[in-house]
Amino acid sequence: MPRQDKAPDLRRPVIAGNWKMYKTGAEARAFFEQFQPLVASASHCDIIVAPPFTALRVCVEASRSGKIAIAAQNMHWQPEGAFTGEISARMLIDAGCTAVIIGHSERRQLFGETDESVHRKTKAALAAGLTPIVCVGETLDERESNTTEKVLSRQMQVGLAALTAAEFSRILLAYEPVWAIGTGRTATPELAADAHRHLRALAAAQFGSESASALRILYGGSVKPDNIKGLMAHEEIDGALVGGASLDPKSFAAIVNY
Ligand code: PGA
């Protein structure tokens, strides 16, 4: 269904780049020098860049004049404490972040994150005033064994448990099928839209239909300049969370300017 069927201001598109463990401060600065002029006239969407912790300040400074929000890729749920190697929401705000990615599948698969930790982090991010970008998505095994909907239901119900409707209205949800991340294998717009519809129905059951219809759901997994248009043409897809293709200023700008 074309996007014009949708109330235009209800769900403003979001294009977010997740740099993962790439780029030093100098590389981040060089990215912004090239990227900002390329998106100077883009007013149709929110733009977010999530660099590694060590490049956060450089990115916040580089984007100060512009309209690009800076997000972290992870955080701890405690405000401070004896948690070697961790970073709190307070520290992210101090660095100038306004958003944070929570529960990325790489964190879940490689660093033992659970729906329970996603829940704690989401609550803490909201309490601190950050926008959580909460990631959900099934593995290939789960998809092939027809448990995608069950997995997404669990991730939503546990990960977003006990949020108020007001809190829920401040989150962004990212649907990232694990089998499509970094593999070059993008979900078709229809397949992504089916999952988004399921997530929106779950959101309606948890938080009411008004909250659900305002929820912005980003698709992530091998989004590239040549497939973004098809994805964004779908009314269920409100944006993209881009990994590999967000590292190059020209390719990320092409995605922003879909
Ligand atoms: P990809 O990563 O675009 O490189 O597949 C997406 C993500 O992990 O957020």
Side-chain angles (χ1 to χ4, degrees):
M1 227 186 283
R3 289 191 75 82
Q4 46 268 38
D5 286 7
K6 197 174 68 185
D9 296 326
L10 188 58
R11 302 201 301 261
R12 185 173 156 78
V14 185
I15 303 291
N18 170 15
W19 284 358
K20 309 194 178 185
M21 199 172 75
Y22 290 95
K23 293 196 195 292
T24 62
E27 288 162 350
R29 197 173 293 113
F31 173 94
F32 273 85
E33 272 165 29
Q34 279 197 57
F35 178 66
Q36 295 200 105
L38 299 173
V39 296
S41 57
S43 57
H44 60 288
C45 68
D46 292 341
I47 307 171
I48 303 176
V49 171
F53 291 131
T54 47
L56 283 174
R57 272 193 197 278
V58 166
C59 292
V60 167
E61 275 156 29
S63 67
R64 192 151 280 164
S65 55
K67 52 196 169 184
I68 302 158
I70 303 302
Q73 299 173 15
N74 181 30
M75 57 170 263
H76 195 273
W77 57 83
Q78 292 287 353
E80 59 186 12
F83 301 105
T84 301
E86 294 292 328
I87 302 273
S88 73
R90 268 182 77 211
M91 295 166 185
L92 297 181
I93 287 182
D94 178 57
C97 283
T98 54
V100 57
I101 297 173
I102 291 179
H104 188 279
S105 64
E106 285 151 16
R107 303 279 337 153
R108 293 176 187 257
Q109 293 201 304
L110 306 172
F111 302 100
E113 290 207 14
T114 61
D115 296 324
E116 206 30 67
S117 62
V118 168
H119 167 62
R120 289 188 178 157
K121 291 179 182 199
T122 303
K123 286 290 274 187
L126 287 164
L130 292 167
T131 298
I133 306 169
V134 180
C135 301
V136 296
E138 79 287 0
T139 63
L140 186 58
D141 273 1
E142 290 163 343
R143 174 153 291 269
E144 286 178 344
S145 59
N146 285 324
T147 53
T148 298
E149 294 203 347
K150 201 169 131 211
V151 168
L152 296 179
S153 303
R154 191 203 66 225
Q155 290 175 335
M156 285 282 283
Q157 273 149 17
V158 180
L160 303 183
L163 297 193
T164 63
E167 286 174 326
F168 179 74
S169 71
R170 293 171 40 215
I171 75 160
L172 297 173
L173 194 63
Y175 169 61
E176 299 206 305
V178 178
W179 47 269
I181 294 178
T183 57
R185 207 177 140 180
T186 329
T188 60
E190 288 67 33
L191 190 147
D194 279 350
H196 286 210
R197 240 187 310 276
H198 178 62
L199 290 167
R200 205 175 296 287
L202 291 166
Q206 259 176 289
F207 302 101
S209 54
E210 206 174 309
S211 303
S213 54
L215 172 68
R216 292 185 287 176
I217 308 178
L218 285 53
Y219 166 77
S222 298
V223 174
K224 304 279 183 261
D226 63 4
N227 59 27
I228 184 69
K229 219 176 166 61
L231 289 162
M232 293 306 292
H234 216 290
E235 71 152 346
E236 270 300 335
I237 301 177
D238 305 310
L241 182 54
V242 186
S246 72
L247 292 169
D248 175 69
K250 287 203 191 84
S251 98
F252 193 45
I255 293 173
V256 167
N257 295 322
Y258 65 88

